[in-house]
Amino acid sequence: MIREHPPEQVVPGPPGVPERQVLRVRLFFVSAGLGSTAVGDAERLVGHPAFRGDLLAVARERIDVLVYAAVFLHEAYPRLNDLLRERAADGCAVRIAVGDADSENVQQRGQEEKFGHGIESRCRLALLHYRPLASVPGIELRTHGTTLYNSLYRADDQVLVNAHAWGVNAYGAPVWHLRRHESGGMFDTYADSFDAVWETAHPVEA
């Protein structure tokens, strides 16, 4: 069952975008046999603290990132690569999967979002950002050509799920913040999804 509460007040967008606002709608998911209860915040404009690296910074065991490009992450958090190196040096396993710019599914997404070859260029740019990490112990970098229904950002037992919507750029689609409460719940559904994509992905050479 899903109960939707009234929207919270509209708050200003990030610096430099004074005319846009973040509409936050809080949804309470009450699991029926799913093994977990999760609370999510849906944000129309990326503004979750984790996208600035806060969530990744507290990871101790695992960081998983599944995207087509998400170049905004490096733009918003210039120290992202340094942070990932630090986490890996402390024993955190880091896996990053970015879109294969030459894959049919990436090119199809560009057509659906009316972004054309832009998405392919952004995939290549994302790979340029992450490639220096390919030789870092504890960090694995791969490219994938799957149909991406959600971008995933996992840190230990928390995951941000950027739920894609047809015809909408990923940064304009909702983001759900899920926490693992017990096995078999919604968190594990997305964690298993990441693993399935990872198995199809191709390692990037340093």
Side-chain angles (χ1 to χ4, degrees):
M1 179 177 66
I2 300 177
R3 299 197 305 270
E4 180 171 343
H5 287 226
E8 299 177 1
Q9 70 178 50
V10 177
V11 296
V17 195
E19 297 178 357
R20 298 187 68 179
Q21 293 178 314
V22 180
L23 177 61
R24 306 187 68 191
V25 181
R26 184 174 294 272
L27 299 178
F28 287 79
F29 295 81
V30 182
S31 300
L34 294 179
S36 68
T37 300
V39 179
D41 284 338
E43 301 186 355
R44 291 297 178 186
L45 183 66
V46 172
H48 197 288
F51 282 133
R52 299 193 299 272
D54 299 353
L55 187 72
L56 303 183
V58 301
R60 293 295 178 266
E61 297 180 358
R62 176 169 301 285
I63 290 175
D64 289 334
V65 176
L66 172 62
V67 296
Y68 271 159
V71 293
F72 69 84
L73 200 55
H74 278 92
E75 293 168 351
Y77 195 74
R79 284 198 69 256
L80 179 61
N81 280 9
D82 291 335
L83 170 63
L84 295 176
R85 288 189 185 94
E86 292 166 3
R87 294 291 83 240
D90 285 342
C92 187
V94 179
R95 297 185 296 177
I96 302 166
V98 300
D100 178 352
D102 297 320
S103 68
E104 180 179 347
N105 284 318
V106 166
Q107 294 170 9
Q108 179 66 29
R109 178 60 60 85
Q111 296 175 24
E112 293 171 354
E113 295 182 351
K114 300 179 176 61
F115 204 49
H117 296 296
I119 184 65
E120 299 164 34
S121 298
R122 292 173 75 83
C123 286
R124 292 189 174 92
L125 179 57
L127 190 56
L128 285 174
H129 280 306
Y130 286 115
R131 187 178 288 278
L133 301 176
S135 60
V136 176
I139 298 180
E140 294 183 80
L141 176 61
R142 297 185 182 184
T143 58
H144 71 95
T146 62
T147 300
L148 194 61
Y149 299 104
N150 305 277
S151 296
L152 302 177
Y153 307 85
R154 176 185 176 180
D156 294 338
D157 288 338
Q158 300 185 66
V159 62
L160 291 175
V161 181
N162 184 191
H164 296 181
W166 196 93
V168 178
N169 294 112
Y171 59 76
V175 175
W176 312 110
H177 187 181
L178 303 180
R179 299 170 178 82
R180 172 186 273 157
H181 293 286
E182 55 186 79
S183 62
M186 285 185 286
F187 177 97
D188 284 342
T189 296
Y190 289 107
D192 292 345
S193 175
F194 180 96
D195 289 338
V197 172
W198 188 254
E199 290 302 314
T200 72
H202 302 285
V204 174
E205 300 297 331

